[in-house]
Amino acid sequence: MIKGLSKCGIVVMVGGLLAGAGDAAIAKKAKDAAEAALQTKIDRFVPTEITASLSALPDSEKQALMKTIEAGKLLDPIYRRQVWLGNVELEKKLQADTTPKGKLIYHAFKQNVGPWSRLDEGAAFVDGVPAHKPKGAGFYSEDITKEELEAWIATLSKSDKARATGFFHTIRRGEDKKLVAVPYSKEYAEFLKPAAQALNDAADLTKNDSLKKFLKTRAEAFLNDDYYDSDVAWMELDSPVDVTIGPYETYEDELMGSKAAFEAFITIRNEVETAKLKKFSGELQDIEDHLPMDPKYRIAKIGALAPIRVVDQVFTSGEARRGVTTAAFNLPNDEKVTAEKGSKRVMLRNVQEAKFNKILKRIAEVVIPAKDRELVQFDPFFTHILMHELCHGLGATAPKVNGVETTVRAQLKELNGALEEAKADITGLWALQYLIDKGVLDKSLEKTMYETYLVGTFRSVRFGINEAHGKGMALQFNYLWDLGAYKLEKGRFVVVPGKIKDAVAKLSGEILTIQAEGSYDKAKALLGKYGVVRPPMQKLLDKMKSIPTDLEPYFPIAGETAPVSR
Ligand code: ZN
């Protein structure tokens, strides 16, 4: 099935050189170029130590933490199988090839958990594998077509249908050629049984009742595929050791979008940022009452916000550890749980900090003059991210259009994402200034937060403006620039202190008003005019090619050292 891997493993294109190159020198050159090209792809992820201080944890919690890491590690082999059934055999072959080229390919395989490059539209970088990942990943036997699947599902009873289309069953072709839904607990028993044991051991060690309950119920779910109780326990988790472990996201299943991939985020609660968040939450109604728009659009009593946890990551596995590193997530996804219990947002503070240090600081070198770079700091960066999250809950969500109550989402349609992200960004910045002026936050923040925010704009726009965050950021940048809050200085951008405050308030007000009015036309005009990349910005973006795209994390607390392929 997988042929000649150790001999000609790379399918990176190097022009016409590989094809029919009779001359040994040309062939060698092509091989070197192909290896260099693969190395460049690997280097887009910069190896980064991710760790946290455990000194504040009692011994019981430290021991429980280590046990949950043990459970987390068992999800890696499951996830490899979920990405592609061929991964197990392929990995053995790649691992056996200890030539420099072989090591390079194996490194890329581990970064992507599979032979397809996630940053390159899933193109294969290993010879002898399908050009792209099968749509059904490893969740469905590879010869099952969507038509066959749908026809089969139509014949099932209600409960069988729920299993076949649910999160926690793979679909296999049985001996009799008929399709069958196999529960995860059976399909991955080899790994889930010991993982459940490790979770139970951790539950016995911890003295925190909410963690104990989550670990016990999740261990049960690993063995019986019923995740409801443990999802509820996860929503109620309030513990210094904060654990997210199980089958969650369905992105990997491109056939039906229904099968959940296993992953683990083993983290500890960050007490400083948790306290900051609490302080901000207490100010939210007052911020709403002063939003820079017509008072008639302000909400007299804002709704309860989904809970937010700020944590530091000490280990991840499975889907959480492939391609671009997750810095925040919202879970659970099961509608039954979210309908009853809502969802929770978890923010990985030290991951954000690592991205800030390895990427944002390098972007600052390109975007702003040397004299301003010391103003770009992690604290204002993360404080703004926290406020961004809170500001999603401010402003109108239910405008009245022609006397009929509707929602911002329904009114703004495909523009809603970009505008909502821009609202959270710019209103977050406005709110921080409001709290500084009110004396709640230190005045020193004023010096650093605008500069840090300006550089952050480029981080988002760097990957294109087709996606909501990037487009929303381009909108903010150009709007503020046109109001004179930024100016160009020898090709780089500087913040104009006398102008930035008012410009931020004006933009925040404009977006909030568009949402409150539910005006699609105004949203379209605003994004059309400003949600673009103008030449001076593009020039700077072009200079960022050698800056890493993201991190390749490794976790000393889990006994890991820096990844190398050479
Ligand atoms: Zn957001």
Side-chain angles (χ1 to χ4, degrees), residues 388-389 392 421 424 469:
H388 168 115
E389 294 303 334
H392 275 307
E421 289 309 324
H469 276 95

Side-chain angles (χ1 to χ4, degrees), residues 194-497:
Q197 182 60 53
L199 291 183
N200 275 322
D201 292 346
D204 291 339
L205 288 162
T206 181
K207 295 201 162 58
N208 180 288
D209 287 340
S210 69
L211 181 62
K212 199 183 280 288
K213 180 154 187 224
F214 170 65
L215 295 172
K216 285 263 178 223
T217 51
R218 181 77 4 154
E220 276 168 35
F222 277 5
L223 304 177
N224 69 11
D225 307 290
D226 182 355
Y227 284 84
Y228 177 82
D229 287 346
S230 52
D231 271 346
V232 170
W234 183 81
M235 282 302 297
E236 289 163 356
L237 182 60
D238 185 9
S239 157
V241 172
D242 198 299
V243 178
T244 302
I245 186 168
Y248 288 107
E249 306 291 356
T250 57
Y251 309 123
E252 205 69 42
D253 172 7
E254 292 174 89
L255 191 67
M256 304 298 277
S258 65
K259 303 302 171 196
F262 277 89
E263 64 185 335
F265 296 89
I266 311 296
T267 71
I268 54 176
R269 186 167 61 199
N270 185 293
E271 306 294 350
V272 174
E273 298 299 332
T274 300
K276 196 192 277 173
L277 194 62
K278 206 170 163 201
K279 183 159 99 177
F280 287 176
S281 302
E283 297 286 343
L284 272 189
Q285 183 66 56
D286 184 54
I287 293 171
E288 172 76 33
D289 293 346
H290 292 86
L291 285 176
M293 63 173 165
D294 191 325
K296 73 177 180 203
Y297 292 135
R298 294 176 189 150
I299 309 294
K301 192 173 184 318
I302 53 173
L305 214 67
I308 301 178
R309 297 269 186 272
V310 186
V311 299
D312 287 313
Q313 184 170 294
V314 298
F315 180 71
T316 59
S317 65
E319 188 168 53
R321 201 169 180 177
R322 56 103 177 101
V324 171
T325 300
T326 301
F329 56 85
N330 268 31
L331 284 174
N333 290 327
D334 190 335
E335 284 92 359
K336 185 166 175 247
V337 183
T338 54
E340 290 167 19
K341 286 273 166 185
S343 66
K344 188 165 89 181
R345 183 154 184 85
V346 178
M347 306 182 64
L348 303 159
R349 193 209 64 93
N350 60 343
V351 173
Q352 293 278 14
E353 187 172 27
K355 292 194 187 210
F356 175 88
N357 286 328
K358 302 265 176 162
I359 300 164
L360 204 83
K361 278 189 168 171
R362 300 259 319 259
I363 292 176
E365 290 169 14
V366 175
V367 173
I368 60 175
K371 65 176 171 55
D372 293 339
R373 280 174 216 156
E374 63 176 24
L375 297 173
V376 178
Q377 295 173 11
F378 178 65
D379 187 56
F381 179 71
F382 193 72
T383 304
H384 181 239
I385 293 177
L386 287 183
M387 201 46 115
H388 168 115
E389 294 303 334
L390 295 173
C391 283
H392 275 307
L394 300 187
T397 54
K400 264 198 177 143
V401 176
N402 303 327
V404 180
E405 191 156 301
T406 168
T407 65
V408 175
R409 186 186 295 274
Q411 286 304 306
L412 301 188
K413 303 183 194 75
E414 83 282 1
L415 307 176
N416 184 56
L419 212 68
E420 176 60 25
E421 289 309 324
K423 189 258 319 242
D425 280 332
I426 200 73
T427 305
L429 198 61
W430 177 87
L432 291 179
Q433 181 68 58
Y434 175 77
L435 293 183
I436 292 168
D437 294 341
K438 195 182 166 187
V440 175
L441 283 169
D442 198 89
K443 188 129 178 83
S444 63
L445 188 65
E446 202 177 292
K447 267 188 115 76
T448 54
M449 71 179 189
Y450 292 115
E451 207 71 50
T452 306
Y453 160 82
L454 162 62
V455 176
T457 303
F458 281 79
R459 183 179 86 139
S460 303
V461 177
R462 194 179 164 206
F463 301 113
I465 55 167
N466 298 322
E467 172 268 346
H469 276 95
K471 197 165 191 74
M473 270 294 192
L475 152 71
Q476 295 167 65
F477 180 80
N478 291 317
Y479 191 100
L480 297 178
W481 186 13
D482 283 3
L483 285 181
Y486 299 144
K487 65 170 194 252
L488 262 175
E489 229 176 66
K490 291 183 191 151
R492 298 173 197 270
F493 283 93
V494 296
V495 175
V496 180

